[in-house]
Amino acid sequence: FRTGPGAMNVIIAGECSGVTRDAFAARGHNAWSCDLKPSKRPGQHWQGSWRDIDWSFFDLLIAHPECTHLAVSGAAHFAAKRADGRQQAAIEEFMWLANAPVPMKCIENPVCIMSTLYRKPDQIIQPHQFGHPEFKATCYWLTGLPKLIPTDPLPIPERGTPEWRAWERKHRLGPSPDRAEKRSESFANVSEAMADQWGRIAARAVA
């Protein structure tokens, strides 16, 4: 199913925006996204559970497991989430993806309890390292992939200034039905860096 020399089969699990999928597709890869929600823009998309996918088909997985019940930012609610099983279910989904039979993987989550329950992340990136004026620490657990190299680091504003507060935009989002979705949106420049850097490395590995 690969589309030509240097192409590979890529799946972005837990993405409905299509941002990362399209970055890989633009470079000639057979790229798919997968989510319970429909894709927000045209492209190859599996709407449904990632557990129903034939994982042996793919060379590279970039996964975004649900972080709501794992992120340390929600630690005040952990007791209730442990008691009703929500946290354990999220742990199991994270580990299901971490153990998926794909040779090259990046499992992505904010700073969360999986650093203790699974292992420490291989890398923690910030969007401002890739030209986006925002703060959002994101952990990567990598298999068969090198660390992502920042492409356009921005000077960090002084703490407490209006600019610094503006960079905390995602942390300051008020309650809304789509708050979690807005906070988890992929940053375009990070997706481009993944497609450029990991796309070349992974393509050589499957050539």
Side-chain angles (χ1 to χ4, degrees):
F1 290 89
R2 300 184 185 108
T3 55
M8 60 180 173
N9 299 321
V10 182
I11 185 163
I12 317 301
E15 178 185 64
C16 63
S17 69
V19 173
T20 307
R21 175 201 66 205
D22 290 353
F24 279 91
R27 290 158 177 80
H29 300 292
N30 181 30
W32 287 77
S33 53
C34 168
D35 199 85
L36 295 175
K37 300 175 183 177
S39 178
K40 290 186 175 180
R41 52 191 187 186
Q44 298 189 125
H45 183 72
W46 172 274
Q47 184 177 353
S49 171
W50 49 54
R51 290 184 177 242
D52 296 330
I53 290 174
D54 179 4
W55 290 93
S56 65
F57 173 76
F58 292 101
D59 307 302
L60 172 63
L61 161 66
I62 298 172
H64 308 274
E66 173 63 50
C67 65
T68 305
H69 309 310
L70 302 176
V72 297
S73 58
H77 307 286
F78 279 177
K81 292 179 178 183
R82 283 194 295 266
D84 63 20
R86 283 177 292 168
Q87 188 169 89
Q88 183 57 37
I91 292 168
E92 290 173 3
E93 286 302 294
F94 182 105
M95 292 307 304
W96 197 94
L97 289 166
N99 292 320
V102 181
M104 290 164 282
K105 289 179 288 201
C106 170
I107 313 299
E108 185 232 73
N109 237 231
V111 177
C112 69
I113 61 174
M114 299 311 295
S115 296
T116 301
L117 298 181
Y118 175 38
R119 61 178 172 85
K120 291 187 180 299
D122 298 282
Q123 181 177 16
I124 301 178
I125 67 122
Q126 285 278 0
H128 59 73
Q129 296 174 307
F130 298 84
H132 292 282
E134 297 199 41
F135 295 118
K136 187 176 185 290
T138 304
C139 301
Y140 289 164
W141 288 264
L142 304 173
T143 300
L145 294 170
K147 293 180 180 180
L148 203 62
I149 300 171
T151 55
D152 186 19
L154 301 176
I156 300 174
E158 184 179 349
R159 187 178 184 86
T161 62
E163 185 181 6
W164 184 85
R165 288 193 292 272
W167 279 33
E168 286 203 311
R169 178 181 66 86
K170 286 188 180 291
H171 298 292
R172 294 175 181 272
L173 288 172
S176 69
D178 59 351
R179 181 174 183 265
E181 186 174 316
K182 287 180 178 178
R183 291 193 64 178
S184 64
E185 287 175 347
S186 299
F187 290 94
N189 291 355
V190 178
S191 297
E192 294 291 322
M194 288 178 171
D196 275 338
Q197 298 175 34
W198 292 344
R200 286 195 302 267
I201 291 167
R204 287 198 297 270
V206 301

